[in-house]
């Protein structure tokens, strides 16, 4: 659970802040993306991710804990049947915050918080995954200009080989001419 806020809260009182976060989380799960202030988005992220973690395993205990926050049964059903199972293999990071600039009326910094797309993650080798793509990126980073340079270098190495063949060819041509001189 997130650490309690010290100092001023979003709504003025702790109970009002809990209600604001519960309503923001409900809207986020209902729409998938909401626009709010940066402060509210930053406070909502751990709150919503904790609820999604509960929704990953559909048990009666988890449903009872989430229903304390999410009062709408339709949103609760969406959370446990669509969002939770979609994030089953994801180890965390279910939301994304994107800053969009100031609000027109009061110049408050605004942000969009959204639920990220579900991807499958391999839970067996989390440490080995970053080590393997590093060599693969070296091969991918090669540009067509580098390939063209390598091709011209290969042609340059072939050119002396062709030159040696051409050097031998006149020698062979000269030898039959010498044989013709001896025949006369």
């Amino acid at each position: 659970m997130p650490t309690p806020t010290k100092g001023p809260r979003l709504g003025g009182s702790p109970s009002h802040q809990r209600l604001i976060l519960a309503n923001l989380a409900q809207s986020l799960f209902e729409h998938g993306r909401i626009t709010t202030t940066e402060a509210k988005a930053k406070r909502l992220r751990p709150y919503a991710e904790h609820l999604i973690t509960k929704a990953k395993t559909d048990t009666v205990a988890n449903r009872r804990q989430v229903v304390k926050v999410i009062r709408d049964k339709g949103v609760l059903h969406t959370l446990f049947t669509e969002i939770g199972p979609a994030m089953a293999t994801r180890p965390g990071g279910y939301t994304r915050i994107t800053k969009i600039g100031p609000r027109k009326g009061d110049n408050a910094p605004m942000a969009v918080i959204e639920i990220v797309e579900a991807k499958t993650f391999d839970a067996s080798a989390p440490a080995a995954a970053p080590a393997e793509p590093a060599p693969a990126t070296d091969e991918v980073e090669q540009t067509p200009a580098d390939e063209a340079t390598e091709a011209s270098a290969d042609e340059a190495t072939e050119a002396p080989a062709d030159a040696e063949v051409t050097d031998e060819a006149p020698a062979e041509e000269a030898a039959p001419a010498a044989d013709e001189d001896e025949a006369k």
Side-chain angles (χ1 to χ4, degrees):
M1 200 74 188
T3 310
T5 307
K6 295 184 180 190
R9 289 163 177 83
L10 292 177
S13 67
S15 61
H16 193 202
Q17 178 173 335
R18 279 194 297 272
L19 289 172
I20 288 174
L21 291 176
N23 287 334
L24 285 171
Q26 183 172 327
S27 296
L28 177 64
F29 298 143
E30 185 177 356
H31 301 291
R33 163 189 297 208
I34 57 172
T35 303
T36 184
T37 61
E38 284 182 22
K40 288 179 184 176
K42 287 178 182 179
R43 299 267 178 90
L44 177 61
R45 172 182 262 174
Y47 195 80
E49 290 192 2
H50 182 73
L51 294 173
I52 293 172
T53 302
K54 293 282 185 191
K56 285 168 65 172
T57 54
D58 190 5
T59 62
V60 174
N62 285 345
R63 276 190 181 263
R64 286 180 178 165
Q65 288 177 352
V66 173
V67 81
K68 290 178 186 177
V69 176
I70 306 297
R71 301 289 184 168
D72 188 4
K73 289 185 179 181
V75 175
L76 184 73
H77 178 74
T78 303
L79 180 62
F80 275 92
T81 58
E82 296 175 12
I83 299 171
M87 302 292 177
T89 59
R90 193 176 188 95
Y94 312 117
T95 58
R96 175 186 306 127
I97 297 175
T98 308
K99 297 178 182 179
I100 58 172
R103 185 163 47 198
K104 187 175 182 183
D106 60 354
N107 207 28
M110 299 297 286
V112 173
I113 183 167
E114 60 187 339
I115 298 172
V116 297
E117 296 177 8
K119 293 183 181 179
T120 57
F121 287 89
D122 186 17
S124 62
E132 292 176 18
T137 57
D138 291 340
E139 296 172 1
V140 175
E141 289 178 4
Q142 191 176 28
T143 61
D146 293 338
E147 292 174 3
T149 306
E150 289 179 10
S152 63
D154 291 341
E155 291 173 3
T157 56
E158 291 175 5
D162 293 338
E164 292 175 4
V165 172
T166 56
D167 290 340
E168 293 174 6
E172 292 173 2
E173 291 174 3
D179 292 335
E180 289 177 8
D181 290 335
E182 291 175 10
K184 290 185 186 176

